[in-house]
Amino acid sequence: SQTIHQWPATLVQPVGSPLSLECTVEGTSNPNLYWYRQAAGRGLQLLFYSVGIGQISSEVPQNLSASRPQDRQFILSSKKLLLSDSGFYLCVGGGGFSYEQYFGPGTRLTVT
Amino acid sequence: AQSVTQLDSQVPVFEEAPVELRCNYSSSVSVYLFWYVQYPNQGLQLLLKYLSGSTLVKGINGFEAEFNKSQTSFHLRKPSVHISDTAEYFCAVSDTGGFKTIFGAGTRLFVKA
């Protein structure tokens, strides 16, 4: 199984400021990695996924971007945050033969 | 494109009563199906999954789900719920390549004494 580490747990940022959320994976190599945003009553919205270093697929056009500089590192970024970027962001690992997904603890982002 | 619909946003039920949480999906290809649970103030964890074989799948904590291909459904059931089953439950579908998993909006199960 995989262990997903994600930080920070909470973050309050002003509008227009940059963002960098980091996620690292332990316990496997070459995982599929995902960024989801969870909103109450709306489930989990897939934002980005990556099947390898430097490979990023974007699911929803928006103010955010993702990068995968190392096999077990996945970063969610923004150059200028919007109020609408507030939410709960989850880093998720997957891709094993069990097809199970492993969830990080999440980051609660509040843009003020 | 795949999609998942959880038909009930909230399900209140009394302790020891049976419960069914409904999930329908749409996909033009073969899929794998999952139920995840999120207990209050905790992360999501896998409850059960259907990859192949028997259409009746048993998971943790006495839950089971049945894959119905003709109705494109994967409903979750438990014959007798406990207070501790109070949580949010997410149905999810993955293409058989395993690259993307799409989640439903979630069903909040509230078990009352």
Side-chain angles (χ1 to χ4, degrees):
Chain A
S1 66
Q2 306 174 20
T3 301
I4 309 296
H5 301 283
Q6 192 180 342
W7 63 93
T10 60
L11 188 61
V12 180
Q13 293 281 98
V15 168
S17 65
L19 171 74
S20 181
L21 301 182
E22 188 166 347
C23 165
T24 58
V25 181
E26 187 181 345
T28 189
S29 58
N30 197 30
N32 294 342
L33 294 173
Y34 309 82
W35 280 109
Y36 286 88
R37 179 163 54 201
Q38 184 178 11
R42 297 178 61 184
L44 282 74
Q45 180 187 29
L46 179 61
L47 304 176
F48 302 94
Y49 70 94
S50 170
V51 299
I53 296 173
Q55 296 178 305
I56 305 294
S57 294
S58 174
E59 287 296 298
V60 181
Q62 57 201 321
N63 187 41
L64 302 169
S65 62
S67 62
R68 187 166 176 178
Q70 300 181 43
D71 180 45
R72 286 178 267 186
Q73 184 185 29
F74 201 31
I75 298 171
L76 182 69
S77 305
S78 173
K79 292 182 179 178
K80 289 186 178 181
L81 284 169
L82 305 172
L83 286 174
S84 58
D85 292 323
S86 293
F88 190 63
Y89 291 85
L90 285 165
C91 179
V92 180
F97 289 112
S98 69
Y99 293 91
E100 181 175 347
Q101 297 212 307
Y102 300 88
F103 292 82
T107 295
R108 172 80 54 195
L109 172 66
T110 303
V111 182
T112 61
Chain B
Q2 299 163 353
S3 67
V4 179
T5 302
Q6 291 184 242
L7 298 161
D8 306 293
S9 59
Q10 296 186 60
V11 175
V13 63
F14 284 104
E15 193 174 22
E16 297 184 6
V19 70
E20 178 180 83
L21 306 184
R22 297 179 292 169
C23 173
N24 286 90
Y25 70 93
S26 66
S27 176
S28 59
V29 298
S30 296
V31 295
Y32 298 141
L33 297 159
F34 307 82
W35 276 97
Y36 287 85
V37 59
Q38 185 174 32
Y39 297 105
N41 300 314
Q42 295 187 30
L44 279 82
Q45 58 183 283
L46 182 67
L47 195 58
L48 50 79
K49 63 186 175 187
Y50 171 79
L51 302 182
S52 65
S54 172
T55 56
L56 183 63
V57 180
K58 295 189 183 298
I60 62 173
N61 300 336
F63 283 92
E64 63 181 32
E66 185 162 17
F67 169 52
N68 188 318
K69 189 174 182 179
S70 62
Q71 296 187 7
T72 60
S73 68
F74 191 53
H75 300 333
L76 181 70
R77 302 184 183 101
K78 186 170 183 177
S80 176
V81 294
H82 303 290
I83 297 287
S84 59
D85 292 322
T86 294
E88 188 150 22
Y89 293 80
F90 293 92
C91 182
V93 59
S94 173
D95 60 79
T96 53
F99 294 138
K100 292 199 299 183
T101 299
I102 304 299
F103 288 81
T107 296
R108 188 170 296 279
L109 175 64
F110 179 59
V111 182
K112 301 178 285 186

